[in-house]
Amino acid sequence: MNKIMGHVFLSKLGKKRLRPGGVKATNWLKKQTNLNNKNILEVGCNKGTTSFELARKYNSIITAVDKDLFALEQAKNSKKNKYKNLTFSPGNAFKLEFSNETFDVIFNEAMLTMLNQNSKITALKEYNRVLKDNGVLLNHDICLLTNDIQLQKQIIKEMSETINTSVEPKTVDEWLFLLESNGFGQIKYTCGKMTLLTPRGLIKDEGIVNTFKIIRNAFKKENKVQFKTMRNVFKKYKKHLGFIAIASFKQKI
Ligand SMILES: C[S@@+](CC[C@H](N)C(=O)[O-])C[C@H]1O[C@@H](n2cnc3c(N)ncnc32)[C@H](O)[C@@H]1O
């Protein structure tokens, strides 16, 4: 069985949106603030799917960073990389190469979930530092829909095993507390079922043609085991795993 991380695996199959609530959650985030004439940072942009949409739709300057150089190369070499207001560069959420108070908005989808508690806090402190006063953090993550601690532990264990990297999703209250304790407030959020690998979610996020391509790739001999294992874990815990999309504002500390 391949031992590559879940999002790298799904990207290899052809999936473009590697986030739990798909385009629905991303569109909700986009509606939470005015995105025109802004300086926007996307952290964890991967192949640039959200960055291209932002650059096309908004009259803003978009800077997109990821620590995965291979994904960034794919973004840079994409046919869609034609926008003068968009720049891709290597970057790590833990130490962003930008001055204090540079950005109005930060997009961060499906990344904080991948970090442990201390790393989440380090990233949030960096976001707080590079955001202007009253700047907005738009994040989208995996949400635990159960308060049963034993079940939470079991879900986290099985998810981490199946996607070959440790993940630490949180409950709604825990996500909100994390943000509030690290310099963010005036929070708005929405949550719902995780749609990453559901048939409806795939079609909505990727379109019919790309969904067929993804499924065809998923059932190739070399991919079948990992795909089925991932899908089975998400299916097994479908009542207990969801997405959360959160808009929060930098607070004066
Ligand atoms: C699950 S993928 C989500 C990609 C994209 N945001 C999306 O929603 O489709 C998480 C991305 O975050 C990136 N990432 C993880 N830790 C990071 C860090 N410390 N700094 C920058 N990028 C990071 C990964 O390389 C990966 O591209």
Side-chain angles (χ1 to χ4, degrees):
M1 181 170 154
N2 290 331
K3 280 280 177 194
I4 59 174
M5 285 190 283
H7 70 275
V8 177
F9 174 70
L10 293 178
S11 173
K12 200 182 104 186
L13 298 184
K15 194 154 179 15
K16 297 188 181 113
R17 296 174 205 274
L18 308 168
R19 57 200 85 154
V23 71
K24 179 181 168 198
T26 307
N27 287 344
W28 183 88
L29 288 174
K30 286 181 190 160
K31 287 190 195 133
Q32 302 313 307
T33 189
N34 173 13
L35 292 172
N36 270 311
N37 304 310
K38 294 284 158 67
N39 204 0
I40 301 176
L41 173 67
E42 185 185 8
V43 184
C45 63
N46 201 268
K47 290 191 283 192
T49 306
T50 297
S51 314
F52 293 133
E53 288 167 5
L54 294 172
R56 179 176 58 80
K57 194 161 174 204
Y58 302 103
N59 184 21
S60 283
I61 296 167
I62 322 292
T63 307
V65 301
D66 202 293
K67 66 171 192 175
D68 178 342
L69 302 184
F70 180 68
L72 269 185
E73 268 319 291
Q74 289 180 285
K76 285 183 187 169
N77 294 333
S78 164
K79 281 196 301 242
K80 292 187 177 167
N81 190 16
K82 58 184 179 190
Y83 301 100
K84 290 200 166 60
N85 58 339
L86 171 61
T87 315
F88 289 105
S89 48
N92 194 321
F94 305 150
K95 197 173 185 323
L96 294 166
E97 306 281 323
F98 306 105
S99 309
N100 295 354
E101 302 182 14
T102 303
F103 297 99
D104 302 287
V105 180
I106 296 180
F107 264 86
N108 191 209
E109 295 186 281
M111 198 205 88
L112 291 176
T113 302
M114 296 173 69
L115 308 180
N116 66 30
Q117 179 72 0
N118 285 341
S119 299
K120 282 180 174 71
I121 292 172
T122 306
L124 287 174
K125 287 197 169 133
E126 271 300 84
Y127 298 168
N128 200 288
R129 180 183 71 74
V130 300
L131 273 174
K132 293 179 187 170
D133 275 349
N134 216 31
V136 192
L137 170 61
L138 300 171
N139 73 290
H140 168 181
D141 276 284
I142 298 182
C143 182
L144 291 167
L145 304 173
T146 171
N147 290 318
D148 177 335
I149 307 280
Q150 280 315 316
L151 182 56
Q152 290 179 357
K153 282 190 184 155
Q154 187 60 26
I155 294 172
I156 288 173
K157 180 173 172 289
E158 287 187 40
M159 262 184 71
S160 299
E161 280 167 7
T162 187
I163 66 176
N164 298 317
T165 186
S166 60
V167 284
E168 290 192 17
K170 291 179 168 293
T171 62
V172 173
D173 287 347
E174 287 168 345
W175 278 119
L176 303 185
F177 181 73
L178 176 75
L179 289 161
E180 281 163 355
S181 323
N182 288 285
F184 293 91
Q186 295 164 263
I187 295 180
K188 284 185 273 176
Y189 72 92
T190 184
C191 35
K193 289 275 155 64
M194 187 150 153
T195 55
L196 184 71
L197 292 184
T198 62
R200 196 178 287 189
L202 277 169
I203 291 169
K204 189 150 197 215
D205 281 2
E206 310 292 338
I208 298 251
V209 175
N210 202 34
T211 296
F212 275 117
K213 278 190 202 154
I214 293 165
I215 298 296
R216 200 181 53 211
N217 289 334
F219 284 93
K220 283 186 180 161
K221 200 171 149 214
E222 65 273 25
N223 298 325
K224 206 158 63 177
V225 175
Q226 187 164 3
F227 182 74
K228 280 188 171 174
T229 316
M230 273 178 83
R231 197 190 50 177
N232 289 347
V233 170
F234 292 147
K235 218 169 166 179
K236 178 172 169 188
Y237 294 115
K238 67 178 182 193
K239 283 195 187 143
H240 307 112
L241 276 175
F243 76 85
I244 184 164
I246 313 173
S248 58
F249 289 76
K250 171 173 169 170
Q251 302 295 288
K252 282 205 171 72
I253 314 176

